[in-house]
Amino acid sequence: MESGLQIKTRCSPEADAEDEPVSPTGQYFNSKSLSVCILAVLETSVPIDDSGTLPLLRELFLPINPRFSSIMAYDKKGKRRWKKVEVNLQDHVNVPSFPESLSVESYDDNFDKYLTKLTTKILPEDRPLWEIHILKYPTSKAAGHIIFKLHHALGDGYSLMGALLSCLQRADNPSLPLTFPSTKSNKNANKSRAKSFTSCIQNFFSVINGATFDFGWTVFKSACIADDKTPIRSGDKDLACHPVKISTVAFSMDQLKLIKTKLQVTISAVITGIVSLGVRLYMQGNDTGFNNSRTTALVLLNTRNINGYMSIQDMLKADNKIWGNQFAFLHVDLPKLTTNKTLNPLDFVSKAQKNILRKRNSPAVYLTGQFLEIIRKFRGPEAAAQYIKGTCKRSSLGITSLIGPVEQMACAKHPVKGLYFMPIGVHKSLVVSVMSYMGTMRIGIGTEKGYIDSQRLVCCIDTAFELIYKAATLSK
């Protein structure tokens, strides 16, 4: 086995000239209140040969960003900085051993248990905040699994996914770049008609009033108002320590696009509508008394003004600081569930579209970020982290999404047949992640183990998709 590089466990408190300050968001996500990580799971279609793992990490992964070979350290002024260290790659690579010659069902169970165990382990602070787990055993979904565990302080989903994709190649032709679905809006649909001066003034004040309300409600909701305790929200004070059961369900992009076109909405609205309806169906299955409970989703938005992923080189340019944590969140109320006789599944999509479009374009998103910065400046990073923690705890579920490539990828000549991710440590009983890849939308469902019946929730979300798809195809 290749020896790898050796780590320096002690660093001088005096920052080197090249040491980078830890961003405010990076400090929030690695604090006493929060320790948020991202699990990215790659499913391979062939058995895994891990003999080239260390050279791949050393030659491709580590050079992507200095943070992958740095730890968080305090300088003489008590400020946190990324301190460069030498890395022992073997410390970061885990290859578990399961019993040989088990059934596929048994390996499914072993994989699920291993993945759940990963959700409770804290990354060591004395080495760079990432690790890889290689599971060579076949399951019903893949011949093998490669799991990246990356701390959110390193960057948000966009940055980390960009880093991950830079280590992968197109399976059909490695010399060609990966391509991604366009996120540009339909120009014809978005052409605005000329407006009079009076209507422009009215629209301006409407936006200001809406922003004021949205910002006030977001702050009030984050600080004071908690959602009701329901079958999807236990309200436990220490959810970050609870194991998370991760399940997935997949939908055809063609079918989702049909719903999108029929209803003239965004894919985000379609997915949010499906998840909202599925969650309400699950809650109704426990007790119809939960139909009208106060239940909100915390939707994370990428605030970069770009379409698709950029190269790592472009991300890191001094005049184009795309790397890092650049996102905002907004509260979206889940529609109340009526009786089955009067249920209109499309209402969940239309209401999601209305809420997301209004709030995404609202200045309240910017104001919320500035409010967090004010907390940090006057009360310190830990107070800001506490505010984010309260925001997470008081809502019922989180929804986050990423765009994946259209073509099949390969990792060291291992074709990747499936891809999904899951944020962990976010103080929620339910987190939903959304990832597109090769014409399929993969929904990851992270549930508080022992509190939510993950199998039944997956069935409810699948049912919600069928109801919305059927209603959309029948609509004129």
Side-chain angles (χ1 to χ4, degrees), residues 158 237 343 380 409:
Y158 176 90
K237 293 182 179 180
L343 172 65
M409 303 180 297

Side-chain angles (χ1 to χ4, degrees), residues 190-196 199-200:
N190 289 331
K191 284 183 179 178
S192 59
R193 292 174 292 186
K195 297 181 179 180
S196 67
S199 64
C200 288

Side-chain angles (χ1 to χ4, degrees), residues 383-404:
Q386 282 280 4
Y387 178 82
I388 295 175
K389 177 181 177 181
T391 300
C392 293
K393 290 182 65 174
R394 291 182 178 89
S395 55
S396 296
L397 67 148
I399 302 178
T400 180
S401 62
L402 289 172
I403 298 172

Side-chain angles (χ1 to χ4, degrees), residues 78-376:
K79 303 294 184 181
R80 299 181 87 178
R81 304 181 72 90
W82 291 107
K83 181 71 178 178
K84 286 281 288 182
V85 296
E86 293 182 9
V87 183
N88 183 354
L89 290 174
Q90 291 174 331
D91 287 344
H92 296 263
V93 179
N94 302 272
V95 186
S97 295
F98 297 157
E100 298 290 340
S101 304
L102 296 180
S103 65
V104 171
E105 292 76 14
S106 296
Y107 283 130
D108 279 344
D109 185 54
N110 280 324
F111 172 77
D112 287 342
K113 288 179 179 177
Y114 189 88
L115 193 59
T116 297
K117 189 176 180 180
L118 279 183
T119 65
T120 60
K121 285 192 172 182
I122 303 297
L123 290 171
E125 293 283 340
D126 62 348
R127 62 187 189 219
L129 297 170
W130 61 271
E131 59 187 25
I132 295 176
H133 301 259
I134 301 173
L135 284 75
K136 299 181 179 181
Y137 303 92
T139 65
S140 59
K141 292 183 178 178
H145 292 81
I146 303 172
I147 304 170
F148 286 78
K149 185 172 183 178
L150 305 158
H151 203 287
H152 218 315
L154 297 170
D156 58 15
Y158 176 90
S159 297
L160 298 179
M161 189 55 62
L164 178 60
L165 294 177
S166 71
C167 297
L168 305 174
Q169 298 174 316
R170 278 181 61 155
D172 59 345
N173 190 341
S175 64
L176 295 177
L178 293 164
T179 60
F180 300 86
S182 174
T183 58
K184 293 181 180 179
S185 303
N186 186 316
K187 292 182 180 179
N188 293 329
N190 289 331
K191 284 183 179 178
S192 59
R193 292 174 292 186
K195 297 181 179 180
S196 67
F197 177 76
T198 302
S199 64
C200 288
I201 292 296
Q202 291 174 340
N203 184 62
F204 171 78
F205 282 107
S206 176
V207 170
I208 293 299
N209 288 335
T212 302
F213 176 81
D214 289 340
F215 172 65
W217 168 245
T218 297
V219 173
F220 192 53
K221 177 80 175 74
S222 298
C224 303
I225 302 180
D227 281 358
D228 297 329
K229 290 185 179 180
T230 65
I232 66 161
R233 181 178 181 273
S234 66
D236 193 289
K237 293 182 179 180
D238 201 17
L239 276 175
C241 297
H242 285 225
V244 176
K245 162 73 173 174
I246 300 176
S247 310
T248 67
V249 60
F251 302 125
S252 163
M253 282 297 296
D254 289 338
Q255 290 179 308
L256 293 173
K257 288 177 181 177
L258 186 147
I259 300 171
K260 169 183 176 291
T261 302
K262 280 277 190 176
L263 304 183
Q264 292 295 295
V265 296
T266 63
I267 288 290
S268 295
V270 175
I271 294 297
T272 303
I274 291 170
V275 172
S276 298
L277 177 55
V279 166
R280 283 296 189 187
L281 291 174
Y282 175 84
M283 293 165 64
Q284 185 187 56
N286 287 66
D287 188 336
T288 56
F290 292 114
N291 287 357
N292 296 316
S293 62
R294 181 173 56 239
T295 306
T296 58
L298 196 66
V299 180
L300 267 65
L301 302 173
N302 177 8
T303 57
R304 297 170 177 83
N305 187 24
I306 54 176
N307 289 298
Y309 290 98
M310 302 177 68
S311 68
I312 294 298
Q313 292 74 18
D314 289 339
M315 275 193 201
L316 299 178
K317 284 181 180 177
D319 59 345
N320 193 7
K321 296 179 180 178
I322 300 300
W323 185 277
N325 283 285
Q326 299 186 35
F327 65 89
F329 53 81
L330 57 86
H331 294 283
V332 176
D333 293 323
L334 268 64
K336 303 295 190 293
L337 187 63
T338 58
T339 61
N340 289 334
K341 291 182 179 179
T342 59
L343 172 65
N344 182 359
L346 301 186
D347 285 346
F348 283 78
V349 178
S350 60
K351 289 179 180 179
Q353 171 81 353
K354 181 179 179 181
N355 281 331
I356 291 176
L357 283 182
R358 183 177 70 83
K359 294 186 177 183
R360 179 192 285 272
N361 297 323
S362 171
V365 172
Y366 171 79
L367 293 173
T368 301
Q370 292 303 302
F371 179 72
L372 200 61
E373 180 64 9
I374 291 172
I375 295 176
R376 182 189 70 84

